[in-house]
Structure formats: structure tokens, C-alpha cells
Amino acid sequence: MRALGSGVCRWLGVRICRRSTVLFVLFWLAFWIFVNGLVFMHKTIFSDFCSDDRSKRILERVCDEYGQGILSGDLCEDLCILHRVVYKRCLYYENGKKVIEADWQGRPIVLKSKLENFSAYETFGLLEYQDMHEISPMDIVFYAAMEIKNSLGLELKNTTVPRLWTTELQERTVPYTRAELASMWALMQQEEYTFFRILQDLSTHVVKVLGSCGHFYAVEYLIAGHMWHQNLFPLEGLIGPSTAIHSSRALREAIHKIALSFLDMVRHFEDDFSYRLHLCDIKPENFAVRNDLTVVAIDVDMAFFEPKMQDILEQNCTHDEDCNFFDCVSKCDLKKNKCGSKRVNSNLQVICDKIFRHWFSPTLIGARASLPLQVQLQRAVQKCAEPSLEELEKRSAQQEQLLSQLYQLLQDSKRQLNE
């Protein structure tokens, strides 16, 4: 009996020992995964942390390079010498892209650069082979045209693109300095800057460029929208003081005006340039609203004119999902295993889906949601938000009809809400 008991004890001891070993191995494995997870988070998140200290050091480096004559710009003196540009906070930093809020003589601005360091941009090719006095204004125009074609897919002679710096080139009597050309070239390598500069005088629906220093350029400060906001945009600060009785009505009227501005923007981007402009990342965070309730695109990293859009969409595929480029979608030709070069959805359809459907739901419209006109508006928005099943030729006409219908319903609804 004792022998039996002793055997059981030894057997239990082995089992307990084995179990302890397994638990220890599992604990060690879990701890290893946890530590490596922290290291990964540190490398991917904290390395790109949007800190004030790092942002200030970046601007200090810009000013050091300005002092050394490496870079230049119409904003440099106010930023580096007169200190009229005052740092406020870091707004965004990821993969080198830096967005900083600052104050310029009492006016809020945003400083942006695609890359953190000036040296990260390619140098201007002519500076390596020609003397500064040999570079003519036409050389600059030619190189600018090539860069625009590469980044946006547009020819400079195209009516969409005005001649950049035309006034400067005509009035300038002295050659550009090496710092000026290097800074100009660093800016031209940033698609968003080029986009804003091209549309500067052609559109009220893009943010205005106010100046630059080296690779950083300044744009007007506008508060972006956000999905967590009940009305998508901070409308309370735009409609001015309002009594409690009229605040709801004022908000609804503001939403209708902004919705009408979105439709104006859609039509403008569709018809007013030589090529259609596609927005492939439509969300409230990429738009802002001016005090006059005009919708403004403030982030256009994913905006492309038709020639560039076709190049992006025309990829190899095995099913339709392979042809989705963010909010821009085409169809897969299974015979050729190639995505179509034409986009099958539209700016209007995505705006209806991601913006209008939120605004014109029965819960947000409130007590008037059951009124016939409001019901029509809800149905029109719903139809607009759904992908079209029409053939490509008919889809354009359908979109134009929907846009006109929404425009009329929004105008009528705005009047009804004020009755």
C-alpha cells in the first residue's frame, strides 16, 4: 500500500512538474510577445509622436539653414529674423509629414511639409550642371512643367494650369539665387503644394497658400471636420451668437448651406477644369468650412485629375475589390485581368454616403423629418449614396440629374425650415 502511495505521489509530482513547466513556458512566451509589442509600438507610434519639442527643433533647423543661405522664401524673415511667426502646436506628424499651427502677426496659419528635412528633397538638377547666371526664367518654367506633369498628370499649357510665377518672372531683373531655386524645387516636389498653387486663383474650394520658407509652406488656418462631431463640422463657432430658441434652426440652416456648397464644389471639380478632378479620400477631416460657409478642401493628398486617375486605376486584378483605390473605384475586366481606367463611382456618390447621409437622417432632422419635402430629401440622399447600376454612359447623366435634384430639394428644404 505504501509502495502504491509512493508511486502515486511520484506520478503526481511529475504531472505537477510538467504542468509548472508548461505554465512557465506559456508565461515566458506571453511576456516575450508583450515586450516585443511595446518595442513595435514605440517604433511605429512614439517615433512619429507629434511633440512640441521636436516641432520647434525642426523649425529651428529651417532657420539655421536660412541663415546659412541654403534655403529661402517670403516667410523666412518673419519666421527666423523678426519672429512674427509664433509656434503654437503640432497638429500632425506621420512618416515625415509635418503639420504645425502657428500665429502670423495675429493671424492663425498652418505650416506644412511632406518631409521633415530640407535635405530629404531632391536637388534642382540644373544647379549641378549650370552656373547660376546661365539659368533663365524659361528653364524654370520648363522644369516646373515637367514636375507638374509627373506629380499631377497635367501639361502646363493646359488651361487648367496657369503659368506659375508668371508675374515674378516678368518683373524680375536679377537671377534667382541658389537658395531660391532649391526651395522652389523642394516645394514643387510636394503634390499638395503644387495642387494648391495651381488652383489658387481658380477655385474658392481649396485652401489658400500664404507663403513659404524652404520646404515649409503656410496655408490659412481652418478648423477641419471630424466624424465624432455631431454635425461633422464645428458649426457653433460659424453661425455666431444665437438664442436657445433659434439655435437649432440656425444649425439646420447652416447645414443646408454647407450641403449646397458641397454640391457647388462637386460641380466645380467636374466641369470647370479641362480634366475632371477626383477626390479619393472623402471624409470630414479633409474638409473645412469658412465663415461664409464655403466648403474648402484642406487635405488633397488623394486628389487626382483624370489623366493621373486613369494611371492609378488601371492595374492588374482578379476581382472587383482589387480595383478599389480608397474612395475611387473601377471594375475588373476578368477577360484581361485588368482594372478599368474609368472610375465607376463619383465624388457626389461618396459625399452623399459619407456626409449627407449623416446630416439628413430622420434623427438629425428632428420633428420635421416626416414632412413630405424632408422625406423626399432623405430618399434622394439615399439613392445618391448607393452605387449606380447603370452603364458607364448613362451613369454621368444620372449623376447630373441627382445633383440637380438634390440642389433643388436642399434649397426648398432650407426655405421650409425657416417657415
Side-chain angles (χ1 to χ4, degrees), residues 209-224:
V209 178
L210 305 175
S212 64
C213 181
H215 54 307
F216 274 90
Y217 60 97
V219 298
E220 58 183 325
Y221 176 80
L222 296 169
I223 300 176

Side-chain angles (χ1 to χ4, degrees), residues 148 155 164 207 397:
I148 289 171
E155 301 282 355
L164 300 180
V207 72

Side-chain angles (χ1 to χ4, degrees), residues 150-271:
N150 290 334
S151 61
L152 301 183
L154 293 173
E155 301 282 355
L156 188 65
K157 64 183 180 181
N158 192 285
T159 55
T160 301
V161 186
R163 287 190 176 182
L164 300 180
W165 312 292
T166 299
T167 304
E168 292 182 32
L169 291 173
Q170 290 176 344
E171 296 178 354
R172 194 172 182 97
T173 57
V174 295
Y176 280 93
T177 66
R178 182 175 292 271
E180 286 176 319
L181 288 176
S183 299
M184 189 185 300
W185 196 242
L187 291 170
M188 289 295 297
Q189 292 173 57
Q190 302 180 58
E191 293 86 351
E192 189 173 64
Y193 169 81
T194 306
F195 182 95
F196 287 147
R197 278 298 304 268
I198 285 173
L199 299 186
Q200 191 79 92
D201 300 320
L202 301 177
S203 178
T204 60
H205 293 289
V206 296
V207 72
K208 299 297 183 185
V209 178
L210 305 175
S212 64
C213 181
H215 54 307
F216 274 90
Y217 60 97
V219 298
E220 58 183 325
Y221 176 80
L222 296 169
I223 300 176
H226 206 288
M227 280 304 300
W228 54 256
H229 199 287
Q230 181 182 4
N231 296 308
L232 301 184
F233 296 92
L235 303 182
E236 295 81 1
L238 295 173
I239 61 177
S242 178
T243 63
I245 297 175
H246 300 296
S247 61
S248 177
R249 178 183 296 179
L251 283 172
R252 294 308 310 161
E253 184 177 2
I255 286 173
H256 279 68
K257 288 181 179 178
I258 296 170
L260 287 167
S261 184
F262 263 111
L263 295 183
D264 287 336
M265 184 188 70
V266 167
R267 182 163 277 160
H268 174 54
F269 288 171
E270 290 276 327
D271 302 333

Side-chain angles (χ1 to χ4, degrees), residues 22-92:
V22 171
L23 289 174
F24 175 79
V25 170
L26 289 175
F27 173 79
W28 182 88
L29 181 62
F31 180 76
W32 182 84
I33 293 173
F34 174 75
V35 170
N36 279 272
L38 287 179
V39 172
F40 175 79
M41 287 179 63
H42 177 78
K43 288 182 178 179
T44 58
I45 298 177
F46 294 104
S47 62
D48 282 351
F49 187 65
C50 196
S51 69
D52 289 334
D53 288 341
R54 185 169 186 173
S55 302
K56 289 177 180 177
R57 285 198 300 272
I58 290 172
L59 293 182
E60 287 172 1
R61 190 156 57 244
V62 169
C63 288
D64 287 342
E65 291 174 327
Y66 171 64
Q68 297 171 43
I70 296 173
L71 55 81
S72 182
D74 54 4
L75 199 67
C76 288
E77 186 173 356
D78 280 357
L79 175 66
C80 304
I81 307 298
L82 302 177
H83 304 292
R84 291 173 178 169
V85 178
V86 180
Y87 175 88
K88 289 296 182 184
R89 61 182 173 131
C90 177
L91 296 176
Y92 179 85

Side-chain angles (χ1 to χ4, degrees), residues 331 344 383 387-396 398-399:
K331 289 284 187 180
V344 299
K383 182 178 180 181
S388 175
L389 300 177
E390 297 287 346
E391 295 295 327
L392 194 60
E393 294 76 13
K394 297 180 180 179
R395 196 174 293 133
S396 179
Q398 183 191 57
Q399 289 292 301

